[in-house]
């Protein structure tokens, strides 16, 4: 009699339910897997047979055929070992009682069950498909237990899994560990002294989801400030945690110490990163740094050092908020909604703005660096901020003033401004001011008379491009939201103009 065992496969970070059908035929002994299985699954034959025999069970002498349903969609992953092994071991038994139970796990030759990647998205799709109980490797249990309404049954050996499948044992449902509150990041803006104007700009960027380019000498604290941005963003919702944890799960970046992603990601890839490292890819596509930063911050430290081609490949996926990976087995999508934060030195050697040091760059180097800071990639970034080094005078002034803004204070402003945007954009398809296109800008960036006049003057005087003009309007919208104003007034436009692209040349 045909056995049917439930499991799932991954396409990118999406899971799809799969039924493993196993049957016996007369003829030459053999073990066949059909139904668009990739090499990891076909290799399972070699692992499963010895594993079953090493556990003291018999392997059928007839011809075994495994069919993966639906046959038309590609399937991959070593987690198919367990459902396939069970399909064989259950031959001759009725598997009707297992239609609400799913299995996944990699089986080693001695029958030990090992952890696999992508458990959370697999579990999510199985729950959606009506699965009530999930049997999986013990080391993946904590990750899957974040889901409600799904019984998690951890196993460490093939024997334990068979006992559950045959109804001999019910298995012990896994109970999620109680986390002692959300671990708070140790980074706080109160630790950044004497940079209040940059902190203000970062507040605007975080409030309206605007990209930020910080230009300043080495040692001016650019990366120190970038690192603290997650501390002023809204806390993740349950759904967002699921989504981000799913991405990290597929990337194989979860472990016992971090089974669930609880905080907004901050990713800072090194400038030697390749296009695949940044966007994702590979034979079994893994998400890249861009998608690992999904719903958090992607920080590129020292723009000048990155390969221009690699940087340019980011433009489209950041705008679309999704990475498309084309491949033979079918396209894969990885989400990539990030706050982009980029840091750059004013010149290659970094000393251009430093009175006490000498810039050693040739005019050619200065020009090529300038091209990067003014190029099409930088031009897509809303806010350009000049970061001055903290001088003694600054510090003394900061000392005399009340303590600077803390992350909690900045966050409160960000949340209020985001709430206004959420309210305004409900049902419009827009999410925040940073995502507004030309049509959205026309509809939602309404100026007062004085605001309009200032913007028109600036347009002529500063020689703004149309893109520049739109960026100023979007930023001014956020400044107005931070103030709780419905219309964009003169002072909002004036502040937004401080973050225009050519600002860094006004040294
Ligand atoms: Zn220089």
């Amino acid at each position: 009699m045909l056995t049917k065992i439930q499991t799932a496969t991954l396409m990118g970070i999406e899971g799809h339910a799969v039924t493993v059908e196993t049957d016996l035929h007369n003829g030459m002994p053999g073990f066949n897997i059909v139904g668009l299985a990739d090499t990891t699954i076909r290799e399972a034959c070699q692992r499963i047979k010895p594993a079953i025999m090493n556990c003291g069970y018999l392997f059928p002498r007839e011809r075994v055929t495994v069919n993966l349903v639906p046959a038309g969609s590609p399937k991959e992953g070593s987690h198919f070992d367990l459902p396939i092994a069970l399909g064989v071991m259950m031959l001759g038994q009725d598997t009707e009682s297992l239609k609400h139970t799913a299995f996944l796990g990699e089986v080693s030759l001695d029958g030990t069950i090992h952890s696999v990647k992508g458990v959370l998205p697999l579990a999510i799709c199985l729950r959606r498909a009506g699965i009530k109980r999930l049997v999986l490797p013990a080391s993946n249990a904590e990750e899957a237990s974040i889901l409600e309404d799904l019984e998690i049954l951890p196993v460490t050996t093939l024997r334990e899994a068979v006992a559950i499948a045959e109804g001999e044992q019910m298995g012990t449902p896994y109970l999620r560990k109680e986390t002692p509150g959300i671990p708070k990041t140790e980074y706080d803006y109160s630790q950044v002294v004497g940079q209040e104007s940059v902190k203000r700009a970062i507040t605007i960027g975080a409030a309206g989801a605007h990209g930020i380019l910080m230009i300043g000498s080495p040692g001016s604290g650019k990366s120190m400030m970038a690192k603290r941005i997650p501390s002023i963003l809204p806390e993740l919702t349950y759904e967002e945690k699921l989504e981000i944890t799913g991405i990290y799960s597929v990337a194989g970046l979860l472990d016992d110490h971090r089974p669930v992603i609880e905080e907004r990601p901050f990713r800072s890839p090194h400038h030697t990163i390749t296009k695949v490292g940044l966007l994702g890819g590979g034979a079994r596509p893994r998400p890249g740094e861009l998608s690992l930063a999904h719903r958090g911050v992607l920080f590129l430290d020292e723009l000048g050092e990155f390969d221009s081609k690699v940087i340019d490949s980011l433009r489209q996926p950041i705008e679309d908020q999704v990475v498309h990976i084309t491949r033979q087995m079918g396209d894969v999508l990885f989400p990539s909604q990030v706050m982009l934060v980029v840091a750059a030195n004013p010149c290659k050697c970094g000393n251009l703005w430093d009175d006490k040091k000498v810039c050693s760059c040739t005019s050619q180097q200065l020009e090529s660096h300038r091209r990067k800071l003014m190029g099409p990639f930088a031009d897509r970034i809303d806010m350009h901020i000049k970061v001055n080094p903290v001088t003694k005078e600054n510090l003394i002034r900061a000392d005399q003033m009340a303590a600077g803004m803390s992350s909690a204070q900045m966050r409160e402003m960000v949340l209020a401004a985001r709430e206004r945007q959420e309210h305004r954009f409900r049902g419009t398809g827009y999410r925040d001011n940073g995502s507004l296109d030309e049509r959205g800008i026309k509809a939602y960036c309404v100026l007062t008379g004085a605001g309009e006049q200032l913007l028109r003057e600036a347009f002529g005087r500063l020689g703004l491009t149309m893109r520049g003009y739109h960026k100023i309007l979007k930023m001014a919208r956020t400044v107005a939201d931070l103030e709780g104003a419905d219309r964009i007034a003169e002072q909002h436009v004036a502040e937004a103009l401080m973050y225009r692209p050519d600002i860094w040349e006004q040294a």
Side-chain angles (χ1 to χ4, degrees):
M1 193 200 303
L2 185 80
T3 60
K4 290 184 180 184
I5 305 289
Q6 307 304 324
T7 189
T9 191
L10 274 181
M11 280 285 276
I13 61 156
E14 284 275 316
H16 299 276
V18 173
T19 304
V20 177
E21 295 179 348
T22 309
D23 207 358
L24 285 180
H25 301 277
N26 292 325
M28 288 286 283
F31 193 5
N32 262 338
I33 299 180
V34 296
L36 281 189
D38 83 336
T39 46
T40 53
I41 303 177
R42 275 174 293 168
E43 277 169 8
C45 303
Q46 276 129 53
R47 283 192 297 270
I48 288 167
K49 193 169 172 181
I52 290 176
M53 292 165 66
N54 285 337
C55 288
Y57 295 83
L58 292 173
F59 196 87
R61 289 180 185 283
E62 297 93 332
R63 187 170 191 80
V64 178
T65 302
V66 175
N67 184 27
L68 305 178
V69 183
S73 61
K75 296 156 203 84
E76 55 194 18
S78 55
H79 67 272
F80 276 92
D81 287 3
L82 179 58
I84 292 173
L86 285 175
V88 175
M89 296 164 90
M90 299 284 289
L91 280 165
Q93 300 181 53
D94 187 1
T95 50
E96 176 64 18
S97 62
L98 292 178
K99 72 178 175 196
H100 298 302
T101 305
F103 296 83
L104 39 98
E106 184 180 309
V107 180
S108 68
L109 297 181
D110 64 357
T112 311
I113 302 216
H114 293 286
S115 64
V116 291
K117 288 180 196 170
V119 161
L120 185 61
L122 292 169
I124 289 173
C125 88
L126 286 166
R127 186 181 63 165
R128 206 184 303 130
I131 293 296
K132 306 277 183 250
R133 305 195 307 162
L134 178 59
V135 180
L136 46 55
S139 41
N140 289 125
E142 180 69 14
E143 176 189 340
S145 69
I146 186 177
L147 293 178
E148 288 145 14
D149 310 323
L150 186 66
E151 195 174 275
I152 303 298
L153 299 173
V155 290
T156 50
T157 64
L158 189 52
R159 274 176 184 280
E160 288 169 31
V162 178
I164 292 173
E166 291 184 334
E168 232 174 73
Q169 262 184 44
M170 292 308 291
T172 315
Y174 184 82
L175 291 177
R176 186 161 156 68
K177 287 186 196 130
E178 283 299 321
T179 39
I182 299 168
K184 284 285 172 218
T185 153
E186 71 269 39
Y187 297 127
D188 194 286
Y189 276 107
S190 59
Q191 298 150 341
V192 180
V193 184
Q195 291 285 20
E196 291 307 302
S197 63
V198 183
K199 283 156 71 175
R200 165 69 183 176
I202 287 173
T203 306
I204 296 169
H210 302 287
I212 295 178
L213 172 60
M214 292 190 274
I215 303 162
S217 308
S220 53
K222 290 168 291 185
S223 61
M224 182 189 183
M225 285 187 274
K227 245 181 228 154
R228 285 162 174 75
I229 293 177
S231 71
I232 63 168
L233 295 173
E235 263 180 35
L236 291 173
T237 63
Y238 173 70
E239 292 302 322
E240 286 173 331
K241 282 181 196 172
L242 281 189
E243 185 189 21
I244 299 167
T245 302
I247 297 171
Y248 279 70
S249 174
V250 171
L253 293 177
L254 300 178
D255 55 34
D256 286 348
H257 302 290
R258 198 171 61 157
V260 174
I261 305 295
E262 302 270 5
E263 292 191 311
R264 289 201 186 264
F266 177 88
R267 302 294 296 190
S268 176
H270 190 255
H271 58 74
T272 52
I273 194 166
T274 61
K275 192 175 155 187
V276 170
L278 199 53
L279 300 185
R284 287 190 65 195
R286 279 169 60 111
E289 286 291 329
L290 176 58
S291 296
L292 294 174
H294 180 56
R295 298 200 184 277
V297 175
L298 179 70
F299 179 52
L300 305 179
D301 197 5
E302 202 34 65
L303 176 63
E305 301 294 321
F306 281 82
D307 181 342
S308 299
K309 279 201 205 92
V310 172
I311 286 293
D312 282 337
S313 70
L314 271 175
R315 258 156 64 190
Q316 205 58 44
I318 285 184
E319 214 159 282
D320 299 345
Q321 303 188 335
V322 66
V323 186
H324 277 260
I325 293 172
T326 317
R327 50 178 211 142
Q328 241 180 347
M329 295 273 273
D331 286 8
V332 167
L333 302 181
F334 290 129
S336 59
Q337 181 193 320
V338 300
M339 177 168 170
L340 178 67
V341 181
V342 180
N345 288 333
C347 67
K348 191 166 169 50
C349 81
N351 294 339
L352 188 63
W353 291 348
D354 199 321
D355 299 336
K356 295 177 196 72
K357 290 179 188 157
V358 180
C359 170
S360 60
C361 299
T362 64
S363 58
Q364 210 174 359
Q365 283 171 328
L366 282 176
E367 182 49 31
S368 100
H369 194 82
R370 187 179 177 280
R371 265 204 306 275
K372 273 195 175 157
L373 299 196
M374 303 290 274
F377 177 74
D379 191 46
R380 303 281 171 125
I381 302 174
D382 282 352
M383 308 184 73
H384 293 220
I385 310 169
K386 189 181 169 192
V387 181
N388 291 310
V390 178
T391 60
K392 253 192 207 132
E393 297 83 65
N394 272 348
L395 275 180
I396 292 166
R397 213 180 312 142
D399 245 9
Q400 286 162 349
M401 286 191 328
M405 291 274 253
S406 70
S407 289
Q409 289 168 306
M410 291 162 72
R411 188 152 179 259
E412 201 176 313
M413 297 171 70
V414 168
L415 293 184
R418 288 210 168 194
E419 207 169 287
R420 286 180 60 86
Q421 294 169 71
E422 218 169 88
H423 181 74
R424 178 166 65 235
F425 297 137
R426 197 164 292 155
T428 64
Y430 300 113
R431 209 184 39 257
D432 42 50
N433 297 332
S435 71
L436 287 175
D437 55 13
E438 209 177 318
R439 194 173 54 84
I441 289 168
K442 267 209 183 99
Y444 300 107
C445 297
V446 185
L447 292 143
T448 63
E452 190 165 355
Q453 198 185 335
L454 176 61
L455 188 56
R456 204 175 304 139
E457 280 169 19
F459 190 62
R461 188 161 40 86
L462 301 171
L464 290 180
T465 59
M466 208 53 202
R467 191 197 291 280
Y469 180 82
H470 285 149
K471 284 202 289 196
I472 303 283
L473 265 171
K474 288 196 285 182
M475 285 187 279
R477 179 63 268 168
T478 303
V479 177
D481 282 329
L482 281 165
E483 209 176 88
D486 287 332
R487 294 219 283 167
I488 301 170
E490 199 178 10
Q491 72 269 24
H492 307 138
V493 175
E495 186 168 358
L497 282 169
M498 291 165 50
Y499 310 122
R500 64 181 194 277
D502 61 347
I503 203 77
W504 71 283
E505 287 198 306
Q506 335 267 311

